[in-house]
């Protein structure tokens, strides 16, 4: 008898789980509450025909190296990665910017006195990007697939990013470049393990790059959906699940939901201990997102930044440290850390008539209902004088608006829960089997499980493998 699985949620993790199970001959049905699939990996023409904006995730340094996406052969199913001239730039006070190039030697040369230290920190991992991702994109409580590489990364990455930068680098450029990549942890840069983010994102930039998906991030989930459908799976949209008891019988149910939603749909079906852990789940820093339509390129003081796909706008490392500490303590900094992606520079198919579509967000306290736009635009204007003059239109998304669009983005948290404290190790509950949801046949495959947020499908892959292992052992 064929096995049957139900997946609740058609985000990248739910679709990855569905695709991997369908490829193994499992009868799969995916239920999605929204009218369109994609979760936080969706795109739309916010500013009219031919102007494509990413509603959620934008640049994909881990996605291109993802073992899950490579196993599913997304590039053979309609996905095209597009690389900007420069993976990432970090503007600095005084008009210059630090650049992360695909070429580590060029990056090291431009960093001058810190070039040798930068190369020493990143070179090994940039030569082994897939091994690095395989090691880091899974539960921490396991034997890693590449143990020696993991020991090497752990020896450095376990430290706070601010500590590593202070020990290794002398110039403000190298410190800021490393701090910007480390800030993807959405933790204070004085916290343990934040250096691992800086090392990993830097190494991927030097190897597989920081691409965007041609035509918009929806292209990623559209490719995943094609794999599901090609292997006999079904995807039902406008099909919100409010109670798991309403679902048809299945051998496994996988939830691409964070703890808040799991508790809502599972009701009394969860064990009391597991439910208590979910009830105590802590969500992390939120984002305040603004999409722009510009009359032309951003007028960066350092014109080279125009060629960068991603721009970390935060100034010196000390400013980023202060900003991330503030938002993690529930305070809005005057100069927030701002993420900028210039997708249409790398992917001209997203725009026309010389316009540019710009994607930005600022880190803010979870659920903050604040007027963040002046501070966000002032940060960009600080390094791009005249930015306000090229703005033609904008769309603004407070944390509450993001959560209304996608309930998994609780309080604007794009990572499925903070990585602070034990939640970096135990996601979403203390267990050596993090994808099992505390009762037979029920699994969680969202970013609230290891390794956390991002469009890479790894929680979905690990959850699908957990299902298959459990079935194999039950025979």
């Amino acid at each position: 008898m064929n096995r049957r699985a139900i997946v609740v949620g058609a985000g990248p993790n739910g679709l990855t789980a569905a695709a991997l199970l369908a490829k193994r001959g499992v009868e799969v049905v995916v239920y999605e509450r929204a009218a369109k699939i994609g979760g936080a990996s969706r795109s739309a023409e916010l500013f009219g025909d031919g102007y494509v904006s990413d509603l959620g995730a934008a640049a994909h340094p881990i996605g291109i190296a993802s073992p899950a996406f490579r196993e599913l052969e997304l590039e053979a199913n309609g996905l095209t990665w597009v690389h900007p001239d420069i993976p990432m730039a970090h503007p600095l006070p005084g008009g210059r910017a630090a650049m992360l190039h695909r070429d580590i030697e060029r990056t090291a040369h431009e960093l001058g006195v810190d070039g040798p230290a930068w190369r020493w920190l990143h070179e090994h991992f940039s030569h082994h990007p897939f091994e690095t991702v395989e090691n880091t994109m899974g539960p921490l409580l396991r034997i890693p697939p590449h143990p020696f590489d993991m020991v090497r990364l752990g020896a450095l990455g376990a430290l706070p990013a601010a500590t590593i930068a202070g020990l290794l680098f002398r110039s403000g450029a190298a410190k800021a470049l490393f701090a910007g990549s480390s800030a993807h942890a959405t933790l204070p840069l004085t916290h343990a393990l934040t250096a691992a983010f800086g090392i990993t994102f830097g190494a991927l930039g030097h190897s597989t790059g920081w691409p965007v998906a041609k035509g918009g991030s929806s292209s990623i989930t559209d490719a995943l959906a094609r794999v599901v459908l090609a292997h006999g799976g079904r995807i039902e949209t406008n099909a919100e699940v409010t109670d798991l008891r309403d679902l048809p019988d299945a051998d496994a149910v996988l939830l691409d939901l964070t703890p808040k939603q799991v508790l809502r749909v599972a009701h009394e079906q969860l064990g009391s201990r597991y439910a208590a852990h979910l009830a105590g789940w802590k969500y992390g820093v939120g984002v305040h997102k603004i999409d722009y339509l510009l009359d032309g390129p951003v007028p960066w003081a350092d014109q080279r930044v125009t060629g960068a796909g991603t721009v970390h706008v935060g100034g010196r490392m000390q400013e980023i440290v202060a900003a991330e500490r503030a938002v993690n303590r529930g305070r809005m900094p005057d100069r927030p850390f701002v993420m900028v992606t210039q997708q249409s520079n790398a992917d001209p198919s997203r725009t026309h008539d010389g316009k540019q579509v710009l994607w930005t967000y600022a880190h803010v306290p979870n659920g903050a209902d604040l007027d963040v736009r002046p501070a966000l635009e002032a940060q960009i204007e600080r390094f791009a004088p005249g930015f306000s003059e090229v703005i033609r239109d904008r769309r603004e998304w407070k944390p509450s608006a993001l959560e209304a669009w996608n309930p998994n983005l609780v309080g604007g948290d794009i990572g499925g829960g903070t990585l602070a404290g034990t939640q970096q190790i135990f996601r979403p509950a203390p267990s050596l089997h993090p994808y099992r949801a505390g009762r037979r046949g029920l699994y969680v495959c969202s970013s609230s499980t290891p390794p956390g947020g991002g469009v890479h499908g790894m929680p979905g892959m690990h959850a699908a493998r957990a299902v298959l292992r459990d079935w194999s052992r039950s025979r």
Side-chain angles (χ1 to χ4, degrees):
M1 180 182 296
N2 287 340
R3 296 280 193 173
R4 177 183 174 89
I6 290 173
V7 178
V8 179
N13 291 315
L15 289 172
T16 295
L20 289 167
L21 291 172
K23 283 190 70 174
R24 293 292 296 269
V26 178
E27 182 183 343
V28 178
V29 181
V30 182
Y31 292 99
E32 168 55 47
R33 65 179 287 275
K36 295 183 179 180
I37 65 168
S41 183
R42 277 184 52 197
S43 311
E45 295 180 328
L46 294 179
F47 302 107
D49 292 345
Y51 297 112
V52 179
S53 301
D54 287 328
L55 300 179
H60 303 283
I62 297 179
I64 190 173
S66 164
F69 289 176
R70 287 187 289 125
E71 181 175 336
L72 292 171
E73 300 179 304
L74 297 192
E75 291 175 75
N77 284 277
L79 174 62
T80 300
W81 297 112
V82 184
H83 290 271
D85 295 337
I86 301 167
M88 187 268 284
H90 192 117
L92 297 164
R96 293 288 287 173
M99 301 288 180
L100 184 80
H101 297 283
R102 290 285 294 275
D103 184 347
I104 192 172
E105 293 300 328
R106 183 177 177 186
T107 303
H109 174 75
E110 290 184 2
L111 290 175
V113 65
D114 285 322
W118 185 273
R119 187 186 303 107
W120 176 82
L121 184 61
H122 293 90
E123 189 168 38
H124 174 81
F125 306 106
S126 67
H127 289 325
H128 300 89
F130 300 117
E131 293 87 347
T132 300
V133 171
E134 289 166 6
N135 276 338
T136 57
M137 292 289 106
L140 291 180
L141 297 181
R142 62 168 181 161
I143 299 174
H146 308 282
F148 294 110
D149 285 337
M150 192 63 173
V151 168
R152 185 166 183 163
L153 179 61
L156 300 166
L159 293 171
T163 300
I164 281 283
L167 289 172
L168 293 183
F169 304 133
R170 295 163 57 188
S171 71
K175 290 178 180 179
L177 197 63
F178 188 73
S181 291
S182 302
H184 285 263
T186 63
L187 291 172
L189 300 192
T190 52
H191 276 217
L193 295 171
T194 49
F197 285 81
I199 296 168
T200 299
F201 279 101
L204 293 175
H206 292 316
S207 52
T208 49
W210 286 32
V212 301
K214 186 175 182 180
S217 290
S218 287
S219 300
I220 300 171
T221 42
D222 287 347
L224 287 167
R226 290 189 190 100
V227 179
V228 174
L229 298 175
H231 291 87
R234 293 189 0 246
I235 301 172
E236 304 287 343
T237 56
N238 291 313
E240 183 172 9
V241 174
T242 58
D243 190 326
L244 296 187
R245 292 172 293 188
D246 296 334
L247 293 174
D249 290 338
D251 299 289
V253 175
L254 296 88
L255 307 176
D256 188 4
L257 306 173
T258 75
K260 181 179 179 180
Q261 294 83 45
V262 174
L263 286 169
R264 187 177 69 240
V265 303
H267 298 292
E268 304 300 322
Q269 299 176 63
L270 302 173
S272 59
R273 180 175 297 180
Y274 187 81
H277 286 301
L278 297 191
W281 186 251
K282 292 181 174 60
Y283 290 91
V285 164
V287 301
H288 186 114
K289 182 173 182 286
I290 307 180
D291 296 285
Y292 293 94
L293 180 65
L294 307 180
D295 280 326
V298 179
W300 300 106
D302 187 334
Q303 294 183 0
R304 299 176 302 159
V305 179
T306 302
T310 298
V311 187
H312 292 153
V313 182
R316 299 181 181 89
M317 182 181 77
Q318 295 89 335
E319 296 178 80
I320 300 171
V321 169
E324 295 301 282
R325 181 188 299 117
V327 295
N328 275 273
R329 292 179 177 177
R331 302 195 310 269
M332 188 64 207
D334 293 332
R335 288 181 167 178
F337 179 74
V338 177
M339 198 82 66
V340 175
T341 305
Q342 304 178 127
Q343 301 102 310
S344 57
N345 281 351
D347 180 12
S349 72
R350 298 183 185 219
T351 188
H352 54 87
D353 297 331
K355 304 294 190 297
Q356 180 174 345
V357 175
L358 193 73
W359 178 102
T360 76
Y361 70 64
H363 285 167
V364 300
N366 187 276
D369 185 16
L370 303 169
D371 185 10
V372 174
R373 181 170 65 83
L376 185 153
E377 292 184 359
Q379 274 287 68
I380 299 176
E381 186 91 23
R382 179 182 167 202
F383 302 101
F387 171 65
S388 60
E389 298 171 14
V390 299
I391 297 173
R392 186 180 185 90
D393 200 358
R394 60 170 71 83
R395 297 288 185 275
E396 191 166 359
W397 310 76
K398 292 183 177 183
S400 59
L402 291 172
E403 184 175 351
W405 166 63
N406 183 341
N408 274 356
L409 305 180
V410 178
D413 178 0
I414 61 175
T418 180
L419 294 172
T422 60
Q423 284 192 187
Q424 188 155 11
I425 300 171
F426 299 117
R427 298 176 70 83
S431 173
L432 294 176
H433 307 285
Y435 307 98
R436 296 177 186 165
R439 74 164 174 82
R440 185 179 181 87
L442 185 62
Y443 302 82
V444 179
C445 63
S446 71
S447 58
S448 298
T449 63
V455 179
H456 41 66
M458 295 303 290
M461 185 187 80
H462 291 303
R465 288 179 175 176
V467 170
L468 295 171
R469 282 195 303 269
D470 288 349
W471 286 347
S472 176
R473 290 167 182 163
S474 67
R475 288 174 183 169

